[in-house]
Amino acid sequence: MRSSRSLFCVALALMLLVSIGGAMAQEQEEAKWEPWGPHVDEIFMPIYSNYGSQISAFQRGELDVMPGMTGSGDVVRVKETPNTDIVTNYGFHMYYLCLNTKRAPLNADPLRQAIARLVDRDRIVSEVLQGYVLPLAYFLPPSCAFHMNNLPAPAYDPGKAAEVLDSAGYKMDIATKTRRDPATGRPMREMRILAASSSVGPDIGRILEEACWSIGVPVKTAIVDFNTLVQRIDKRDFDMFFLATNMDQRGTSLYDFFHSSQDLAGSDNRSGIRDAELDRALETLYYALDLETARGAAGEAQLLLSKRVPLIPIYSRPHIDAFRSDRFTGYVPMDGEGAAKNMWTLLGIRPTSGTGGVLRWPLTAEPSTLNPCTLTTAYEREVLTKIIDSLMATDPVTLEDIPWMAREWEIGTWEPAKDKRGTVITWHLRDGILWQDGEPFTSADIKFTIEYLKKYKVPNFAKNVQDIVKVETPDRVTARVYFSTESSEHLYHADLCFLPEHIWKSVWNYKTFSPWQQRHPKVKDLTRLIGTGPFILKEFSPGKHVRLVKNPLYWRLNPPDGAEN
């Protein structure tokens, strides 16, 4: 049962949402969007070392967009800036503490269960984030289809945490004032929580440190820069860390985060959890053919996770985005993705007067890679999603799948073996789509990409391609993708970040390939980082900025006469 204090925090957060975005529902209903664009000539993305300097730059008029605000102080500062429009949408965001289940002493369930009872979400939300987020004790945010707030979730209770440890044999060592690890008989070593210096992690870490030491659990927050944090996570060189992510609407991100098959370098199972019972529930979710089966499996998986505690959810942040309304219009509110970072805003945003122009859009951290096979952070995705495109898109109002580079698709079945059924996804591509160097995008690129990702076992896409048996291309605009299993999710698995065959066919080591740093072999002013999306990478100046320019070959640049979609 939720405490009255927690209910107060939720109510406060919801009131604040209403106060800064009271017209949200109405705006969403009246939001106008169009599948054509882009309408700006360039996106200039300066890189900021900290969030405060980014806010100050917006106030000085040096930025046109302020995406993803969190703290109340930031929102107030931006709201007081003249000619500012703030748009609020619910999202799939989750800020969490990940625990390394493979490293002692955190490889013991009772210790992780105790730490879960030492996370004071109400204090974190009120003191660190001033009520502008929602406390989250569950493994999927409220906007996800299978969010379940009726499952048991450990509330903040240091007394109960101490009881858990006492029962498991973690006795207090009087000399060190820390508990003895029953596995070694010695006082537990000091565990470190990695927290990015540019985030709220250090402040949250101090609150958790205090709670842990109060019952003899030695914990200290280690503040590092964001790129160092990512590198250490990738190497699994951590005890615990704070990080944020976006879960997916359908809840299958649970599979990515917690299935044993995803416990490999570069994948999302960073806790290293391996549990056969959990795997079975996640596989049922992953391969479900109907909604009720998926819902039941998602509930079972979340119940098991609440017992094993490889990860501790802390809060979920709504999208709070600001725009300079005197300079730009055409941004589109969208639940799940927010107004700033959805594709319809990318296409629709335009100057309030005149045409073209430069849109100034901040990056909170420097991308460490712009290789789609090795990207790991939201900041890298923020650049790449403006360069690449997908076969399907999401309607910003209904959130339903709609045709994009594929004009239509079919979902069928086949027999990969006797008495076994698998899914077949048939894509029918739009004709005339070009890569940014002028080469045609065809079904051959789909086949090449899938075979490349399977051949080199690229972790970023392991889940997508692991069940694909073969790809057929009966003609240049038709691709049939055959899976060894049946699942409604295979439609989404077959919609990948596609690689241009004529660029990537000579790349045998994707890990060392830096396409953004290498000149295009044929086209002047292009790099080997090309996509089919609305913007082209023009310049990446490390520590300074990323510059993108409009793709003159973009297939949705201008609507044909009489076109509606």
Side-chain angles (χ1 to χ4, degrees):
M1 181 179 294
R2 267 186 193 161
S3 67
S4 58
R5 184 182 176 199
S6 179
L7 286 170
F8 170 76
C9 267
V10 173
L12 173 62
L14 290 173
M15 285 191 293
L16 287 168
L17 280 176
V18 171
S19 70
I20 62 175
M24 180 174 63
Q26 182 179 357
E27 285 179 310
Q28 181 80 352
E29 185 179 343
E30 298 175 357
K32 295 181 179 180
W33 61 281
E34 57 184 28
W36 310 103
H39 297 281
V40 296
D41 295 327
E42 179 180 323
I43 300 179
F44 184 74
M45 308 180 78
I47 299 167
Y48 291 88
S49 59
N50 63 75
Y51 197 71
S53 60
Q54 190 173 315
I55 295 287
S56 298
F58 186 88
Q59 289 182 297
R60 292 193 300 268
E62 298 170 5
L63 295 173
D64 303 306
V65 182
M66 190 66 225
M69 294 181 290
T70 54
S72 63
D74 298 335
V75 176
V76 169
R77 287 171 63 190
V78 167
K79 191 175 183 180
E80 291 175 349
T81 304
N83 303 307
T84 296
D85 185 17
I86 295 179
V87 184
T88 304
N89 292 95
Y90 294 109
F92 304 131
H93 173 274
M94 178 175 72
Y95 189 87
Y96 62 89
L97 175 70
C98 182
L99 303 95
N100 191 339
T101 64
K102 292 185 173 181
R103 178 182 283 188
L106 288 165
N107 57 344
D109 286 7
L111 179 57
R112 299 196 306 274
Q113 292 164 358
I115 293 174
R117 294 186 177 277
L118 297 172
V119 177
D120 191 347
R121 295 177 180 83
D122 293 336
R123 182 181 172 191
I124 290 167
V125 168
S126 61
E127 289 186 14
V128 179
L129 296 149
Q130 294 81 46
Y132 275 79
V133 300
L134 299 171
L136 182 67
Y138 306 96
F139 292 90
L140 290 173
S143 53
C144 292
F146 302 138
H147 168 77
M148 297 180 181
N149 59 8
N150 59 339
L151 296 173
Y156 175 66
D157 189 341
K160 182 64 176 177
E163 289 178 16
V164 170
L165 294 178
D166 290 339
S167 299
Y170 290 82
K171 304 304 181 185
M172 188 69 76
D173 181 76
I174 304 301
T176 61
K177 297 183 179 179
T178 60
R179 290 180 180 265
R180 289 181 175 272
D181 185 347
T184 65
R186 296 191 297 270
M188 280 192 291
R189 65 173 178 84
E190 186 175 76
M191 293 166 284
R192 298 296 181 97
I193 305 175
L194 299 182
S197 56
S198 59
S199 71
V200 295
D203 293 328
I204 296 175
R206 282 188 281 272
I207 292 174
L208 183 54
E209 272 182 41
E210 177 187 318
C212 287
W213 276 101
S214 73
I215 65 166
V217 177
V219 168
K220 185 174 179 60
T221 303
I223 302 173
V224 297
D225 66 82
F226 186 77
N227 285 337
T228 299
L229 172 65
V230 172
Q231 291 167 9
R232 291 188 60 177
I233 292 171
D234 286 344
K235 294 176 182 177
R236 299 300 192 262
D237 179 21
F238 66 87
D239 293 320
M240 296 176 273
F241 66 82
F242 291 119
L243 200 65
T245 190
N246 279 321
M247 307 301 276
D248 66 11
Q249 183 185 9
R250 302 176 305 281
T252 53
S253 45
L254 293 172
Y255 183 97
D256 304 344
F257 270 76
F258 306 114
H259 193 273
S260 297
S261 67
Q262 304 305 301
D263 175 22
L264 43 90
S267 287
D268 287 331
N269 184 355
R270 293 155 178 160
S271 70
I273 186 72
R274 286 176 174 265
D275 183 293
E277 188 179 4
L278 176 61
D279 282 351
R280 285 192 291 272
L282 292 171
E283 288 161 11
T284 301
L285 168 63
Y286 186 83
Y287 294 112
L289 297 178
D290 60 82
L291 185 64
E292 288 310 308
T293 300
R295 187 186 307 279
E300 182 183 356
Q302 292 176 78
L303 180 61
L304 291 167
L305 288 167
S306 68
K307 297 175 181 177
R308 296 301 311 277
V309 198
L311 177 151
I312 302 172
I314 299 175
Y315 69 82
S316 180
R317 171 171 56 82
H319 294 284
I320 307 175
D321 305 311
F323 299 85
R324 284 297 300 261
S325 56
D326 57 330
R327 296 175 183 166
F328 289 91
T329 186
Y331 36 92
V332 181
M334 183 174 177
D335 282 340
E337 298 186 32
K341 296 183 180 180
N342 71 72
M343 64 177 291
W344 309 113
T345 288
L346 187 65
L347 295 180
I349 196 166
R350 65 198 72 192
T352 52
S353 61
T355 59
V358 178
L359 178 67
R360 296 167 298 178
W361 186 301
L363 277 173
T364 306
E366 180 176 333
S368 59
T369 178
L370 290 179
N371 178 339
C373 289
T374 58
L375 68 87
T376 56
T377 74
Y379 310 109
E380 294 151 8
R381 288 186 179 88
E382 194 163 349
V383 176
L384 284 171
T385 52
K386 296 172 175 57
I387 297 171
I388 62 176
D389 227 339
S390 57
L391 299 179
M392 299 185 297
T394 303
D395 185 295
V397 177
T398 66
L399 301 184
E400 295 175 347
D401 300 321
I402 59 175
W404 197 238
M405 289 201 301
R407 58 181 173 81
E408 62 181 354
W409 56 84
E410 298 159 8
I411 304 174
T413 59
W414 72 302
E415 284 193 3
K418 186 178 180 181
D419 298 326
K420 187 177 181 182
R421 294 170 67 87
T423 297
V424 182
I425 306 296
T426 303
W427 297 114
H428 299 281
L429 307 181
R430 297 182 194 269
D431 202 3
I433 297 176
L434 301 176
W435 292 102
Q436 292 165 349
D437 60 1
E439 293 290 326
F441 169 74
T442 71
S443 58
D445 293 300
I446 294 178
K447 179 180 174 66
F448 168 80
T449 299
I450 291 172
E451 291 177 349
Y452 185 95
L453 298 175
K454 284 183 70 68
K455 178 180 180 180
Y456 293 107
K457 298 179 173 61
V458 180
N460 277 353
F461 301 99
K463 180 190 74 170
N464 295 72
V465 302
Q466 65 186 11
D467 292 337
I468 295 179
V469 176
K470 62 180 179 177
V471 182
E472 294 178 346
T473 54
D475 57 55
R476 63 196 302 274
V477 293
T478 306
R480 293 194 184 100
V481 185
Y482 292 81
F483 292 82
S484 61
T485 56
E486 278 193 284
S487 173
S488 58
E489 281 297 303
H490 287 330
L491 175 65
Y492 306 98
H493 299 154
D495 190 2
L496 294 151
C497 174
F498 295 107
L499 308 173
E501 181 180 11
H502 61 286
I503 297 292
W504 281 77
K505 64 183 178 182
S506 60
V507 178
W508 61 271
N509 189 345
Y510 73 89
K511 295 178 182 178
T512 60
F513 184 42
S514 301
W516 72 98
Q517 295 176 334
Q518 300 181 19
R519 291 185 178 180
H520 192 281
K522 294 182 179 180
V523 182
K524 184 181 178 181
D525 296 330
L526 280 185
T527 69
R528 289 177 181 263
L529 175 60
I530 58 169
T532 56
F535 288 92
I536 297 171
L537 177 69
K538 183 67 174 178
E539 181 184 8
F540 178 12
S541 181
K544 295 181 180 179
H545 61 261
V546 173
R547 190 156 67 96
L548 308 174
V549 295
K550 181 194 290 188
N551 175 11
L553 303 177
Y554 189 49
W555 66 284
R556 282 283 182 170
L557 197 60
N558 297 298
D561 294 339
E564 295 183 359
N565 54 48

